[in-house]
Amino acid sequence: MDRQRNETARLDHESKSTIPMTLSKWFIEDDAAYLFTRAIFYKVQEEILASCLKMQIKHVSEEIDGVTHMEIRDVRVKDKLFKVSLKLTNIWFDFRQTVDKAGVHMDRLDYVHKTIKQLNTDLGDDDVNIVEFTKKDHMEAMVGQKPS
């Protein structure tokens, strides 16, 4: 029981004293990072990102007084770019969970770092396999074409 109480106290302290890294610039994700415990936040974050990837911008109006209106519809984008985006989101989610589990324990952080370095070595130096996924690529997955 003491060990469980200590673990609960540690997780509570970690959730209250630090804010997890967000992946988007959406205010709702920032609010979730502030309001929820770490474990709940990651579940909410996954839902936020998944829901945004299922929407498509149909029309963007001209900016008037600093405001741009967008007409959005709910769709399922089934192209390769969407799958890459979702895969990258899942990888970042898993990576952040791993680093969070390591916490501030140097031995755990050293283990995570060593494992990442080994993965990097295993993947090799072949630049052909490196894929850059930019904000324009993300917009293309949502809109259907690259913004200019």
Side-chain angles (χ1 to χ4, degrees), residues 17-75:
S17 63
T18 62
I19 296 177
M21 184 173 64
T22 57
L23 295 175
S24 72
K25 296 190 184 233
W26 298 307
F27 292 121
I28 192 168
E29 187 183 10
D30 294 333
D31 291 344
Y34 177 75
L35 291 172
F36 298 116
T37 63
R38 197 61 59 86
I40 299 297
F41 166 73
Y42 288 137
K43 290 177 183 177
V44 170
Q45 182 184 50
E46 190 172 359
E47 290 298 318
I48 290 169
L49 295 174
S51 67
C52 291
L53 291 173
K54 293 176 185 172
M55 293 186 298
Q56 184 178 42
I57 299 171
K58 251 178 102 175
H59 175 74
V60 179
S61 73
E62 293 291 323
E63 184 176 320
I64 300 172
D65 294 330
V67 177
T68 303
H69 293 274
M70 294 183 192
E71 183 180 342
I72 299 174
R73 67 184 174 128
D74 191 12
V75 296

Side-chain angles (χ1 to χ4, degrees), residues 105-116:
H105 304 285
M106 289 306 292
D107 57 331
R108 290 179 174 188
L109 289 171
D110 287 341
Y111 175 72
V112 170
H113 189 214
K114 179 181 174 185
T115 303
I116 291 169

